[in-house]
């Protein structure tokens, strides 16, 4: 498996590609996180994270969260729109 590459990012969300598969991550404070809504119930445990580096970010993506590009891009667009709406509400 090769390193993941960033396709696009907006705010804390990033669309990545690795070996022809696509996924969305959240990136904060130098760490990459799998999406909370996509992570199976872990009984209150923290979401898996990894250093924000091309060779490690994909390790936080659950197998079921990899998708083709149109599906992953739609998920990314939805999340970034929600984030923008939330930011406007808070401020």
């Amino acid at each position: 498996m090769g390193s993941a590459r960033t396709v696009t990012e907006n705010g804390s969300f990033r669309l990545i590609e690795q070996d022809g598969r696509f996924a969305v991550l959240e990136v904060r404070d130098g760490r990459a996180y799998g999406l909370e809504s996509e992570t199976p119930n872990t009984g209150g445990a923290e979401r898996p994270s990894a250093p924000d580096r091309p060779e490690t970010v994909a390790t936080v993506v659950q197998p079921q969260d990899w998708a083709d590009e149109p599906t992953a891009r739609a998920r990314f667009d939805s999340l970034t729109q929600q984030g923008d709406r939330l930011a406007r509400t808070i401020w």
Side-chain angles (χ1 to χ4, degrees):
M1 243 186 214
S3 293
R5 74 174 177 90
T6 299
V7 176
T8 190
E9 53 190 313
N10 185 326
S12 64
F13 296 107
R14 182 180 297 165
L15 176 64
I16 64 167
E17 180 272 334
Q18 183 179 36
D19 301 327
R21 307 173 303 164
F22 295 81
V24 180
L25 306 172
E26 185 175 8
V27 180
R28 294 180 275 109
D29 299 324
R31 308 243 355 131
Y33 297 87
L35 296 181
E36 190 169 349
S37 62
E38 306 296 326
T39 305
N41 185 348
T42 57
E46 289 188 30
R47 290 188 286 166
S49 70
D52 183 16
R53 294 194 311 261
E55 65 274 9
T56 60
V57 295
T59 64
V60 301
V61 179
Q62 299 295 315
Q64 69 272 15
D65 294 334
W66 289 104
D68 60 19
E69 185 173 7
T71 302
R73 193 171 288 277
R75 183 177 298 151
F76 174 82
D77 291 343
S78 174
L79 288 166
T80 58
Q81 288 173 3
Q82 290 173 28
D84 289 344
R85 201 169 28 253
L86 179 61
R88 285 189 201 100
T89 302
I90 291 172
W91 299 107

